[in-house]
Amino acid sequence: MIVVMKLPKVYEAGQYESDIYALWEKSGAFTADPHSTKEHFSISMPPPNETGTLHIGHALFVTLQDILARNARAKGKDVLWLPGTDHAALPVNALIEKQLTDEGTNKHEIGREAFLERTRAFVGNSRDTINTQIRAMGASVDWTRSRYTLDESLNRTVNEVFVKMYNDGLIYRGNRIVNWDPNLETNVSDDEVVYKEEQGKFYTFHYGPFQIGTARPETKFGDKYVVMHPDDERYAQYNHGDQFQAEWINGPVTATVIKDESVDPAFGTGVMTITPWHDQTDFDIAERHGLDKQQIIDFHGKLLPIAKEFAGMPIHEARPKIVEKLESKGLLVSVDENYAHNVALNDRGKGVIEPQIRLQWFIDVNKPAVDWKGEKLTLKQTMQRVITDSDIEIIPKRFEKVYFHWIDNLRDWCISRQIWWGHRVPVWYRTNIDGKTETYAGLQPPTDTSEGWHDWEQDPDTLDTWFSSAMWTWSTLIDQNLAKDPSLSLEDLLEKSIDFKTYHPTTVLETGWDILFFWVARMILVTTYATGQVPFKHVYLHGLVRTENGRKMSKSSPETIIDPMEVIPEYGTDALRLALIQGMSAGNDQRVGRTKILTNRNFCNKLWNIARFIEDTIGDNPDREGAKPISAADHWIVGKLDEAQTKISNDLDKYRFSEAYDTLYHFIWDDFADWYIEASKVEPNKPLLAYLLESVLLLTHPFAPFVTETIWQTLAWEADSILASRELKDIIDHDKKSAADFTEIQAIVSETRFILKALKASGVTLYYNDAPFIWENAGTIKRLARLQDVTETEEGTGVYLTSTKHRSWLDIDARTAQAYLKELQIKQGQQAAAITQLENRLGNENYVKNAPREVVDETKQQLQDAKDLLATLEQETQRFAIMPTE
């Protein structure tokens, strides 16, 4: 137990947070127990890439998942929140290769083993940094089960699934078009390609009797097909398969007409030549019609010998020279100098993508092979079925449409990468003296050494990181000791691993909407196939964190970035966590800045000050077990606690984080601090104050764990940690009629405060006549309304209160009230005139029709603002509607 003898005046988070986390970790409070009879709740933390440090997006998902985990424990559940890190093959590989380049060498010079050794050292340091930062965010993860995507047991799982899919015919090796990055010299997946709009040139050329357009003339050396839509009447005289002669870059070619429905007749001339080796659409057309394919550009981004005098040139150098040659032949029709087009880039490293046909490993997403719910389905069908059958719920629901659109357009997934860091493809090859090649997929190569065969050699490629990450929810739950036994099959490992049987499918996956395709969809694809289960029951998608003015945080603009590890020492972890969830909604981006963080630090300070008051009031060892409400305020606050606890619980069950926090915020700040604490200063109910403090700390703990634990440590209660108490307190009995009495007090106080503020009055007495209710609650009303006194009298003059049925008035001079009322009436007249003028302007058809749209919109907003102000003035006037006679 951390001993904090008494709460100091100011809460300084940095003095407590590291010690508090160490206390939690040492206590074992975060460790899951699969043997528990409690209801089980499980989350797999999206593993951060081991490429450096956590950013604000990581802080968001840690906060949301920690709230879910702590809330589940508060409801008496056994919780497994499993942490881990991702080897992040492509970005880590890119970082190490850049380091080598800066040192004047490369991976080929130092060799594969030296490269891997260097990489392991780098990611090891990064992993330690990341885990330290996860602790700093207060993550209540089960560190005893921490995993790493290159762990031995996870590597075995990846290999097992690959082999299983290979044997089932779902993984194949074939020549297909891929996204090739010449800079990093590797394939990247479709979802890792980003597009940047650029202004370029669009060329139109003569090609035999046709005109064709292109932005990439350097790919056109092998073009010998023209493609058009079969229903395009402009070219009805041409039949599919017709041939013609055309003069082209390197001389005459024999071209063939192809009719295909994929051509857009409205684009350009409606006719195009195709380059099947370097364009996905062209490749698909060639596949459908059995057309030849020819490579034009090599894997380093330079032209091949087919380009003749341009061979060996990089693309940017060759392009203008090729155009110049075509123009000299009279084949150039026109050049559009302002052609806006998208350039494909690798999201990692931003290298320009050059589509290439390569012999690679693919997952066939259209082959029926998966037995799901007793039916044979393709992987694509399964991915759709789990959503349509409600086995998985996506939150917010609108992303289901986006999800289905992606699946409808899903191509076979290229899973091989030409880098050294990652899970190596578990396939071996050998050739005999006649050049015959044999392929074997397995965890280890065969021991067969038949005469005439060379030694087995493993495929040098590694697997796409998303392939291994797709198994994250269940591969991490396989017993690591069992995984060392080669005699056990994958099915055996799943059957014998108690964590898998207890915690899978996981309860929820919480992640960003931007990796819905990268990760979420692929987890569904692989997990349903390998385990026969969905990976999770719910998917909650959060948005991106932006700056206060809505800008995207970018490394290229360091001033836009909020670094969690810089914010935490200044404001505290809880302030950052609360700022991240305040006002957020599922799937939507949100704005976070230091102003918002400061606001939520003030909330933590408010809670701290409440605790200071209560602890000073109740003293040591309060009898909170005997707490019961006595006064109207007591009954009211217990009712408010009941409402807040119920709503927060329901909102968190539905992943409405912001709504839950909003309820908590206003309950603590408005109801508890501004009303009840002030009311309790009249005659404190010490046992109830102790009960309320305990309840508030437990209710707030999932959102702000550090400040609540720090306060808890000052209390001489039986539980050494708030986590030892865990479960929320049962709401004690309270009377609704008594609570309604306090609502009446609030009405009297609110009206009194309003009048005193409006008239700038002080030292005022509230008089009442024949009002036992006010007499019974005089002390509370006096304190809350900041009155000089509350006194009973027979008659008197002043400003009567209109919000209560009890006859009462404030001893304020009538002239003062009448003068203010007259001022309000003048303002009302001014606003009414302004409204008439604005309505007349908007009623003028010429104005609405001819004025700029933004001007009209501004006028409409001015009208609405004027109406709102008039309503406020009328409401204020009603406060003074009953005036006394002198």
Side-chain angles (χ1 to χ4, degrees), residues 768-822:
Y768 64 92
N769 177 258
D770 192 22
F773 178 83
I774 294 181
W775 174 77
E776 293 169 0
N777 297 285
T780 301
I781 293 171
K782 176 182 176 181
R783 180 171 188 85
L784 293 178
R786 295 180 287 276
L787 292 164
Q788 180 171 299
D789 202 359
V790 177
T791 303
E792 185 172 16
T793 187
E794 289 294 327
E795 295 295 339
T797 62
V799 178
Y800 278 96
L801 301 184
T802 61
S803 60
T804 176
K805 62 184 178 181
H806 305 290
R807 189 168 183 265
S808 54
W809 63 93
L810 298 170
D811 66 335
I812 294 176
D813 179 75
R815 289 191 182 89
T816 301
Q818 288 171 344
Y820 183 72
L821 178 61
K822 185 175 181 180

Side-chain angles (χ1 to χ4, degrees), residues 202-206 211-214 269 331-336:
F202 188 81
Y203 307 92
T204 302
F205 299 107
H206 290 295
Q211 289 186 357
I212 57 103
T214 182
T269 62
L331 298 178
L332 178 62
V333 177
S334 63
V335 180
D336 181 351

Side-chain angles (χ1 to χ4, degrees), residues 43-45 80-84 141-142 145-147 472 476-477:
I43 314 177
S44 294
M45 175 186 287
L80 171 59
W81 182 16
L82 190 145
V141 296
D142 187 346
R145 289 174 167 85
S146 183
R147 295 291 185 265
W472 183 248
T476 53
L477 300 177

Side-chain angles (χ1 to χ4, degrees), residues 116-382:
L116 294 178
E117 182 178 351
R118 178 177 183 138
T119 308
R120 290 188 194 100
F122 170 82
V123 298
N125 291 331
S126 179
R127 188 182 315 147
D128 291 341
T129 300
I130 287 171
N131 288 340
T132 298
Q133 294 174 333
I134 290 174
R135 286 178 168 89
M137 282 301 302
S140 58
V141 296
D142 187 346
W143 291 108
T144 68
R145 289 174 167 85
S146 183
R147 295 291 185 265
Y148 171 47
T149 49
L150 282 181
D151 281 344
E152 183 180 344
S153 60
L154 272 67
N155 186 61
R156 177 177 174 181
T157 302
V158 169
N159 291 340
E160 291 272 13
V161 173
F162 182 98
V163 173
K164 177 178 170 62
M165 297 186 86
Y166 176 81
N167 291 334
D168 285 347
L170 291 175
I171 285 182
Y172 66 91
R173 193 178 188 222
N175 285 292
R176 296 186 62 84
I177 199 159
V178 297
N179 301 303
W180 177 256
D181 182 345
N183 286 354
L184 295 182
E185 297 183 340
T186 184
N187 310 326
V188 296
S189 70
D190 291 342
D191 298 314
E192 288 171 316
V193 176
V194 295
Y195 295 91
K196 178 182 178 182
E197 184 175 291
E198 288 187 356
Q199 291 294 119
K201 296 180 180 180
F202 188 81
Y203 307 92
T204 302
F205 299 107
H206 290 295
Y207 190 82
F210 305 102
Q211 289 186 357
I212 57 103
T214 182
R216 301 195 63 196
E218 69 275 3
T219 66
K220 296 298 179 182
F221 288 94
D223 286 9
K224 56 182 179 181
Y225 303 102
V226 289
V227 188
M228 60 200 68
H229 196 282
D231 298 331
D232 194 333
E233 295 182 358
R234 292 172 294 177
Y235 308 109
Q237 72 271 32
Y238 297 100
N239 297 314
H240 180 80
D242 285 353
Q243 292 188 327
F244 61 91
Q245 294 295 309
E247 178 63 28
W248 199 224
I249 305 173
N250 288 328
V253 296
T254 300
T256 304
V257 173
I258 301 295
K259 297 288 184 99
D260 192 279
E261 293 183 351
S262 67
V263 177
D264 180 5
F267 181 76
T269 62
V271 176
M272 66 181 190
T273 57
I274 60 172
T275 309
W277 200 286
H278 298 287
D279 183 90
Q280 180 68 59
T281 300
D282 295 0
F283 176 84
D284 293 340
I285 293 172
E287 287 285 283
R288 282 194 292 274
H289 300 284
L291 309 180
D292 294 337
K293 309 175 187 73
Q294 192 166 9
Q295 186 175 7
I296 310 299
I297 301 168
D298 70 12
F299 297 124
H300 302 286
K302 296 182 179 180
L303 294 176
L304 290 168
I306 188 176
K308 293 190 176 178
E309 72 263 34
F310 306 107
M313 289 186 185
I315 291 170
H316 69 275
E317 181 182 331
R319 182 178 297 171
K321 295 180 179 180
I322 295 168
V323 173
E324 184 180 347
K325 182 175 182 180
L326 286 167
E327 183 177 19
S328 70
K329 290 188 170 191
L331 298 178
L332 178 62
V333 177
S334 63
V335 180
D336 181 351
E337 299 280 352
N338 297 304
Y339 176 63
H341 64 116
N342 287 325
V343 176
L345 305 173
N346 179 3
D347 193 33
R348 306 292 185 179
K350 308 304 179 186
V352 176
I353 294 297
E354 182 59 60
Q356 296 276 9
I357 295 176
R358 307 187 76 247
L359 181 61
Q360 296 296 304
W361 289 99
F362 295 87
I363 292 180
D364 189 337
V365 297
N366 294 295
K367 184 175 182 179
V370 181
D371 188 2
W372 175 253
K373 293 188 175 181
E375 298 180 36
K376 288 284 186 178
L377 301 175
T378 67
L379 294 174
K380 284 179 67 170
Q381 289 171 332
T382 299

Side-chain angles (χ1 to χ4, degrees), residues 581-598:
I581 63 171
Q582 187 178 48
M584 69 162 290
S585 58
N588 293 326
D589 295 351
Q590 62 169 315
R591 300 182 182 189
V592 175
R594 290 182 180 267
T595 302
K596 194 175 181 184
I597 297 170
L598 177 60

Side-chain angles (χ1 to χ4, degrees), residues 321-532:
K321 295 180 179 180
I322 295 168
V323 173
E324 184 180 347
K325 182 175 182 180
L326 286 167
E327 183 177 19
S328 70
K329 290 188 170 191
L331 298 178
L332 178 62
V333 177
S334 63
V335 180
D336 181 351
E337 299 280 352
N338 297 304
Y339 176 63
H341 64 116
N342 287 325
V343 176
L345 305 173
N346 179 3
D347 193 33
R348 306 292 185 179
K350 308 304 179 186
V352 176
I353 294 297
E354 182 59 60
Q356 296 276 9
I357 295 176
R358 307 187 76 247
L359 181 61
Q360 296 296 304
W361 289 99
F362 295 87
I363 292 180
D364 189 337
V365 297
N366 294 295
K367 184 175 182 179
V370 181
D371 188 2
W372 175 253
K373 293 188 175 181
E375 298 180 36
K376 288 284 186 178
L377 301 175
T378 67
L379 294 174
K380 284 179 67 170
Q381 289 171 332
T382 299
M383 294 167 74
Q384 294 165 331
R385 188 73 172 270
V386 296
I387 305 299
T388 57
D389 285 3
S390 299
D391 293 297
I392 296 176
E393 177 188 13
I394 296 178
I395 304 167
K397 190 175 179 62
R398 71 176 186 271
F399 276 93
E400 288 185 5
K401 182 177 180 181
V402 181
Y403 175 85
F404 286 126
H405 177 76
W406 179 80
I407 294 175
D408 290 340
N409 294 279
L410 183 62
R411 299 188 180 97
D412 287 358
W413 175 13
C414 178
I415 58 173
S416 47
R417 300 289 179 266
Q418 291 62 57
I419 57 178
W420 289 347
W421 179 242
H423 297 275
R424 195 164 176 179
V425 174
V427 173
W428 280 260
Y429 311 99
R430 64 177 183 176
T431 56
N432 66 3
I433 55 177
D434 297 324
K436 181 181 178 181
T437 301
E438 183 179 1
T439 301
Y440 175 80
L443 304 188
Q444 297 293 334
T447 56
D448 176 26
T449 55
S450 303
E451 185 177 353
W453 291 93
H454 296 288
D455 292 337
W456 290 98
E457 292 186 3
Q458 188 173 0
D459 195 308
D461 287 355
T462 53
L463 293 167
D464 181 8
T465 303
W466 298 107
F467 181 72
S468 58
S469 296
M471 308 170 203
W472 183 248
T473 63
W474 59 275
S475 62
T476 53
L477 300 177
I478 288 178
D479 188 295
Q480 292 178 296
N481 290 321
L482 291 175
K484 296 176 183 178
D485 186 348
S487 68
L488 295 177
S489 65
L490 179 61
E491 291 74 15
D492 293 334
L493 293 175
L494 294 175
E495 180 63 29
K496 293 177 180 293
S497 295
I498 187 170
D499 276 0
F500 173 78
K501 294 176 71 66
T502 303
Y503 298 111
H504 203 269
T506 56
T507 308
V508 58
L509 175 73
E510 192 288 319
T511 191
W513 62 260
D514 54 327
I515 57 173
L516 177 61
F517 312 131
F518 286 112
W519 194 38
V520 179
R522 286 182 164 84
M523 292 172 83
I524 294 172
L525 182 156
V526 176
T527 302
T528 51
Y529 164 78
T531 70

Side-chain angles (χ1 to χ4, degrees), residues 21-38:
Y21 196 90
L23 168 74
W24 290 334
E25 198 168 351
K26 184 178 179 181
S27 73
F30 304 156
T31 304
D33 179 9
H35 302 287
S36 173
T37 57
K38 296 179 178 180

